mmCIF file of all heavy atoms in Angstrom:
data_model
loop_
_atom_site.group_PDB
_atom_site.id
_atom_site.type_symbol
_atom_site.label_atom_id
_atom_site.label_comp_id
_atom_site.label_asym_id
_atom_site.label_seq_id
_atom_site.Cartn_x
_atom_site.Cartn_y
_atom_site.Cartn_z
ATOM 1 N N LYS A 1268 -20.139 5.383 20.763
ATOM 2 C CA LYS A 1268 -18.752 5.579 20.347
ATOM 3 C C LYS A 1268 -18.611 5.833 18.850
ATOM 4 O O LYS A 1268 -17.815 6.647 18.430
ATOM 5 C CB LYS A 1268 -17.904 4.366 20.717
ATOM 6 C CG LYS A 1268 -17.579 4.267 22.164
ATOM 7 C CD LYS A 1268 -16.685 3.085 22.394
ATOM 8 C CE LYS A 1268 -16.372 2.946 23.875
ATOM 9 N NZ LYS A 1268 -15.552 1.766 24.132
ATOM 10 N N ASP A 1269 -19.349 5.113 18.034
ATOM 11 C CA ASP A 1269 -19.208 5.191 16.588
ATOM 12 C C ASP A 1269 -20.439 5.834 15.969
ATOM 13 O O ASP A 1269 -21.521 5.758 16.511
ATOM 14 C CB ASP A 1269 -19.046 3.782 15.988
ATOM 15 C CG ASP A 1269 -17.860 3.050 16.572
ATOM 16 O OD1 ASP A 1269 -16.795 3.658 16.717
ATOM 17 O OD2 ASP A 1269 -18.030 1.858 16.877
ATOM 18 N N GLU A 1270 -20.232 6.406 14.785
ATOM 19 C CA GLU A 1270 -21.378 6.930 14.073
ATOM 20 C C GLU A 1270 -22.273 5.802 13.598
ATOM 21 O O GLU A 1270 -23.478 5.927 13.560
ATOM 22 C CB GLU A 1270 -20.917 7.776 12.886
ATOM 23 C CG GLU A 1270 -20.271 9.086 13.306
ATOM 24 C CD GLU A 1270 -19.802 9.880 12.110
ATOM 25 O OE1 GLU A 1270 -20.356 9.717 11.009
ATOM 26 O OE2 GLU A 1270 -18.872 10.676 12.285
ATOM 27 N N LYS A 1271 -21.653 4.681 13.191
ATOM 28 C CA LYS A 1271 -22.404 3.513 12.746
ATOM 29 C C LYS A 1271 -22.091 2.353 13.681
ATOM 30 O O LYS A 1271 -21.224 1.540 13.400
ATOM 31 C CB LYS A 1271 -22.024 3.139 11.313
ATOM 32 C CG LYS A 1271 -22.466 4.129 10.281
ATOM 33 C CD LYS A 1271 -22.122 3.612 8.906
ATOM 34 C CE LYS A 1271 -22.656 4.547 7.850
ATOM 35 N NZ LYS A 1271 -22.400 4.025 6.516
ATOM 36 N N PRO A 1272 -22.778 2.267 14.818
ATOM 37 C CA PRO A 1272 -22.469 1.203 15.773
ATOM 38 C C PRO A 1272 -22.886 -0.163 15.258
ATOM 39 O O PRO A 1272 -23.845 -0.287 14.509
ATOM 40 C CB PRO A 1272 -23.288 1.579 17.008
ATOM 41 C CG PRO A 1272 -24.422 2.369 16.460
ATOM 42 C CD PRO A 1272 -23.885 3.103 15.257
ATOM 43 N N LYS A 1273 -22.141 -1.178 15.670
ATOM 44 C CA LYS A 1273 -22.518 -2.559 15.375
ATOM 45 C C LYS A 1273 -23.588 -2.978 16.362
ATOM 46 O O LYS A 1273 -23.580 -2.570 17.512
ATOM 47 C CB LYS A 1273 -21.315 -3.491 15.563
ATOM 48 C CG LYS A 1273 -20.218 -3.319 14.575
ATOM 49 C CD LYS A 1273 -19.139 -4.337 14.900
ATOM 50 C CE LYS A 1273 -17.921 -4.106 14.049
ATOM 51 N NZ LYS A 1273 -16.835 -5.015 14.411
ATOM 52 N N SER A 1274 -24.473 -3.818 15.910
ATOM 53 C CA SER A 1274 -25.433 -4.411 16.823
ATOM 54 C C SER A 1274 -24.670 -5.275 17.814
ATOM 55 O O SER A 1274 -23.687 -5.912 17.459
ATOM 56 C CB SER A 1274 -26.416 -5.265 16.038
ATOM 57 O OG SER A 1274 -27.071 -6.168 16.882
ATOM 58 N N GLY A 1275 -25.093 -5.300 19.075
ATOM 59 C CA GLY A 1275 -24.426 -6.118 20.076
ATOM 60 C C GLY A 1275 -24.345 -7.571 19.661
ATOM 61 O O GLY A 1275 -23.315 -8.214 19.785
ATOM 62 N N LEU A 1276 -25.433 -8.098 19.109
ATOM 63 C CA LEU A 1276 -25.448 -9.494 18.695
ATOM 64 C C LEU A 1276 -24.499 -9.723 17.525
ATOM 65 O O LEU A 1276 -23.752 -10.702 17.501
ATOM 66 C CB LEU A 1276 -26.865 -9.928 18.323
ATOM 67 C CG LEU A 1276 -27.014 -11.366 17.867
ATOM 68 C CD1 LEU A 1276 -26.518 -12.323 18.944
ATOM 69 C CD2 LEU A 1276 -28.454 -11.662 17.514
ATOM 70 N N ILE A 1277 -24.492 -8.829 16.559
ATOM 71 C CA ILE A 1277 -23.595 -8.981 15.410
ATOM 72 C C ILE A 1277 -22.150 -8.931 15.866
ATOM 73 O O ILE A 1277 -21.321 -9.738 15.450
ATOM 74 C CB ILE A 1277 -23.881 -7.901 14.339
ATOM 75 C CG1 ILE A 1277 -25.239 -8.170 13.697
ATOM 76 C CG2 ILE A 1277 -22.783 -7.884 13.286
ATOM 77 C CD1 ILE A 1277 -25.716 -7.081 12.768
ATOM 78 N N SER A 1278 -21.836 -8.005 16.750
ATOM 79 C CA SER A 1278 -20.477 -7.905 17.285
ATOM 80 C C SER A 1278 -20.070 -9.200 17.975
ATOM 81 O O SER A 1278 -18.966 -9.705 17.783
ATOM 82 C CB SER A 1278 -20.401 -6.739 18.274
ATOM 83 O OG SER A 1278 -19.155 -6.690 18.892
ATOM 84 N N ALA A 1279 -20.960 -9.757 18.757
ATOM 85 C CA ALA A 1279 -20.661 -10.999 19.479
ATOM 86 C C ALA A 1279 -20.456 -12.158 18.522
ATOM 87 O O ALA A 1279 -19.592 -13.002 18.730
ATOM 88 C CB ALA A 1279 -21.792 -11.319 20.451
ATOM 89 N N LEU A 1280 -21.228 -12.202 17.461
ATOM 90 C CA LEU A 1280 -21.104 -13.298 16.504
ATOM 91 C C LEU A 1280 -19.862 -13.172 15.627
ATOM 92 O O LEU A 1280 -19.284 -14.174 15.211
ATOM 93 C CB LEU A 1280 -22.358 -13.381 15.628
ATOM 94 C CG LEU A 1280 -23.643 -13.756 16.369
ATOM 95 C CD1 LEU A 1280 -24.840 -13.675 15.442
ATOM 96 C CD2 LEU A 1280 -23.526 -15.138 16.981
ATOM 97 N N LEU A 1281 -19.451 -11.930 15.342
ATOM 98 C CA LEU A 1281 -18.277 -11.721 14.490
ATOM 99 C C LEU A 1281 -16.958 -11.962 15.217
ATOM 100 O O LEU A 1281 -15.966 -12.312 14.595
ATOM 101 C CB LEU A 1281 -18.290 -10.303 13.906
ATOM 102 C CG LEU A 1281 -19.383 -10.020 12.880
ATOM 103 C CD1 LEU A 1281 -19.343 -8.549 12.472
ATOM 104 C CD2 LEU A 1281 -19.232 -10.922 11.669
ATOM 105 N N GLU A 1282 -16.933 -11.749 16.520
ATOM 106 C CA GLU A 1282 -15.688 -11.871 17.287
ATOM 107 C C GLU A 1282 -15.879 -12.725 18.541
ATOM 108 O O GLU A 1282 -15.589 -12.284 19.645
ATOM 109 C CB GLU A 1282 -15.184 -10.480 17.661
ATOM 110 C CG GLU A 1282 -14.951 -9.607 16.441
ATOM 111 C CD GLU A 1282 -14.572 -8.182 16.811
ATOM 112 O OE1 GLU A 1282 -15.204 -7.602 17.704
ATOM 113 O OE2 GLU A 1282 -13.633 -7.684 16.196
ATOM 114 N N PRO A 1283 -16.328 -13.962 18.390
ATOM 115 C CA PRO A 1283 -16.640 -14.767 19.576
ATOM 116 C C PRO A 1283 -15.439 -15.069 20.464
ATOM 117 O O PRO A 1283 -15.583 -15.150 21.680
ATOM 118 C CB PRO A 1283 -17.219 -16.061 18.990
ATOM 119 C CG PRO A 1283 -16.667 -16.136 17.617
ATOM 120 C CD PRO A 1283 -16.544 -14.711 17.164
ATOM 121 N N MET A 1284 -14.267 -15.247 19.891
ATOM 122 C CA MET A 1284 -13.114 -15.629 20.704
ATOM 123 C C MET A 1284 -12.698 -14.528 21.671
ATOM 124 O O MET A 1284 -12.135 -14.814 22.722
ATOM 125 C CB MET A 1284 -11.951 -16.076 19.837
ATOM 126 C CG MET A 1284 -12.212 -17.423 19.146
ATOM 127 S SD MET A 1284 -12.891 -18.716 20.226
ATOM 128 C CE MET A 1284 -11.554 -18.979 21.346
ATOM 129 N N LYS A 1285 -12.981 -13.274 21.367
ATOM 130 C CA LYS A 1285 -12.695 -12.192 22.310
ATOM 131 C C LYS A 1285 -13.464 -12.416 23.612
ATOM 132 O O LYS A 1285 -12.937 -12.268 24.694
ATOM 133 C CB LYS A 1285 -13.099 -10.833 21.731
ATOM 134 C CG LYS A 1285 -12.092 -10.196 20.844
ATOM 135 C CD LYS A 1285 -12.596 -8.814 20.510
ATOM 136 C CE LYS A 1285 -11.543 -7.953 19.909
ATOM 137 N NZ LYS A 1285 -12.048 -6.601 19.637
ATOM 138 N N PHE A 1286 -14.730 -12.768 23.475
ATOM 139 C CA PHE A 1286 -15.584 -12.988 24.638
ATOM 140 C C PHE A 1286 -15.149 -14.234 25.398
ATOM 141 O O PHE A 1286 -15.040 -14.226 26.613
ATOM 142 C CB PHE A 1286 -17.044 -13.131 24.200
ATOM 143 C CG PHE A 1286 -17.600 -11.889 23.580
ATOM 144 C CD1 PHE A 1286 -17.453 -11.654 22.231
ATOM 145 C CD2 PHE A 1286 -18.265 -10.953 24.348
ATOM 146 C CE1 PHE A 1286 -17.958 -10.501 21.650
ATOM 147 C CE2 PHE A 1286 -18.767 -9.804 23.780
ATOM 148 C CZ PHE A 1286 -18.616 -9.574 22.428
ATOM 149 N N ILE A 1287 -14.939 -15.299 24.669
ATOM 150 C CA ILE A 1287 -14.581 -16.576 25.284
ATOM 151 C C ILE A 1287 -13.226 -16.484 25.972
ATOM 152 O O ILE A 1287 -13.064 -16.906 27.115
ATOM 153 C CB ILE A 1287 -14.613 -17.693 24.232
ATOM 154 C CG1 ILE A 1287 -16.054 -17.881 23.730
ATOM 155 C CG2 ILE A 1287 -14.045 -18.991 24.790
ATOM 156 C CD1 ILE A 1287 -16.174 -18.686 22.455
ATOM 157 N N ASP A 1288 -12.230 -15.923 25.285
ATOM 158 C CA ASP A 1288 -10.887 -15.801 25.866
ATOM 159 C C ASP A 1288 -10.895 -14.955 27.129
ATOM 160 O O ASP A 1288 -10.198 -15.263 28.089
ATOM 161 C CB ASP A 1288 -9.903 -15.198 24.855
ATOM 162 C CG ASP A 1288 -9.536 -16.164 23.747
ATOM 163 O OD1 ASP A 1288 -9.799 -17.376 23.888
ATOM 164 O OD2 ASP A 1288 -8.989 -15.704 22.723
ATOM 165 N N ASP A 1289 -11.683 -13.890 27.145
ATOM 166 C CA ASP A 1289 -11.764 -13.015 28.322
ATOM 167 C C ASP A 1289 -12.199 -13.806 29.548
ATOM 168 O O ASP A 1289 -11.604 -13.699 30.616
ATOM 169 C CB ASP A 1289 -12.736 -11.869 28.048
ATOM 170 C CG ASP A 1289 -12.972 -10.993 29.269
ATOM 171 O OD1 ASP A 1289 -11.986 -10.528 29.874
ATOM 172 O OD2 ASP A 1289 -14.147 -10.775 29.621
ATOM 173 N N ILE A 1290 -13.205 -14.620 29.389
ATOM 174 C CA ILE A 1290 -13.718 -15.412 30.516
ATOM 175 C C ILE A 1290 -12.718 -16.475 30.937
ATOM 176 O O ILE A 1290 -12.413 -16.632 32.116
ATOM 177 C CB ILE A 1290 -15.072 -16.032 30.142
ATOM 178 C CG1 ILE A 1290 -16.101 -14.917 29.984
ATOM 179 C CG2 ILE A 1290 -15.517 -17.055 31.183
ATOM 180 C CD1 ILE A 1290 -17.381 -15.344 29.320
ATOM 181 N N VAL A 1291 -12.196 -17.214 29.967
ATOM 182 C CA VAL A 1291 -11.272 -18.307 30.270
ATOM 183 C C VAL A 1291 -10.024 -17.784 30.983
ATOM 184 O O VAL A 1291 -9.546 -18.389 31.941
ATOM 185 C CB VAL A 1291 -10.928 -19.105 28.993
ATOM 186 C CG1 VAL A 1291 -9.833 -20.116 29.250
ATOM 187 C CG2 VAL A 1291 -12.182 -19.795 28.460
ATOM 188 N N VAL A 1292 -9.509 -16.649 30.558
ATOM 189 C CA VAL A 1292 -8.327 -16.063 31.207
ATOM 190 C C VAL A 1292 -8.636 -15.684 32.656
ATOM 191 O O VAL A 1292 -7.846 -15.938 33.550
ATOM 192 C CB VAL A 1292 -7.819 -14.834 30.410
ATOM 193 C CG1 VAL A 1292 -6.844 -14.006 31.226
ATOM 194 C CG2 VAL A 1292 -7.174 -15.282 29.103
ATOM 195 N N GLN A 1293 -9.809 -15.100 32.896
ATOM 196 C CA GLN A 1293 -10.156 -14.669 34.254
ATOM 197 C C GLN A 1293 -10.363 -15.815 35.232
ATOM 198 O O GLN A 1293 -10.188 -15.639 36.437
ATOM 199 C CB GLN A 1293 -11.415 -13.800 34.230
ATOM 200 C CG GLN A 1293 -11.187 -12.432 33.640
ATOM 201 C CD GLN A 1293 -12.341 -11.529 33.941
ATOM 202 O OE1 GLN A 1293 -12.663 -11.301 35.112
ATOM 203 N NE2 GLN A 1293 -12.981 -11.007 32.914
ATOM 204 N N ILE A 1294 -10.717 -16.976 34.730
ATOM 205 C CA ILE A 1294 -10.973 -18.091 35.646
ATOM 206 C C ILE A 1294 -9.899 -19.174 35.545
ATOM 207 O O ILE A 1294 -10.080 -20.273 36.076
ATOM 208 C CB ILE A 1294 -12.380 -18.692 35.430
ATOM 209 C CG1 ILE A 1294 -12.576 -19.143 34.000
ATOM 210 C CG2 ILE A 1294 -13.436 -17.698 35.863
ATOM 211 C CD1 ILE A 1294 -13.932 -19.783 33.754
ATOM 212 N N ARG A 1295 -8.803 -18.823 34.920
ATOM 213 C CA ARG A 1295 -7.693 -19.775 34.805
ATOM 214 C C ARG A 1295 -7.304 -20.286 36.189
ATOM 215 O O ARG A 1295 -7.187 -19.538 37.141
ATOM 216 C CB ARG A 1295 -6.486 -19.090 34.161
ATOM 217 C CG ARG A 1295 -5.329 -20.048 33.931
ATOM 218 C CD ARG A 1295 -4.219 -19.404 33.155
ATOM 219 N NE ARG A 1295 -4.650 -19.262 31.770
ATOM 220 C CZ ARG A 1295 -4.394 -18.193 31.019
ATOM 221 N NH1 ARG A 1295 -3.720 -17.185 31.494
ATOM 222 N NH2 ARG A 1295 -4.814 -18.143 29.769
#
């Protein structure tokens, strides 16, 4: 998607609440 992609791990570490909230909402 981007010319300068973020590493998957770096992306996960920089925005952890996006990942956590997604799961918590789905299993509410």
Side-chain angles (χ1 to χ4, degrees):
K1268 285 183 182 177
D1269 302 316
E1270 290 179 26
K1271 292 184 176 183
K1273 292 181 187 176
S1274 161
L1276 180 58
I1277 291 172
S1278 175
L1280 294 174
L1281 291 176
E1282 302 175 315
M1284 290 314 295
K1285 276 187 166 182
F1286 296 87
I1287 295 165
D1288 288 345
D1289 175 52
I1290 293 167
V1291 172
V1292 165
Q1293 288 194 59
I1294 57 178
R1295 184 173 287 140

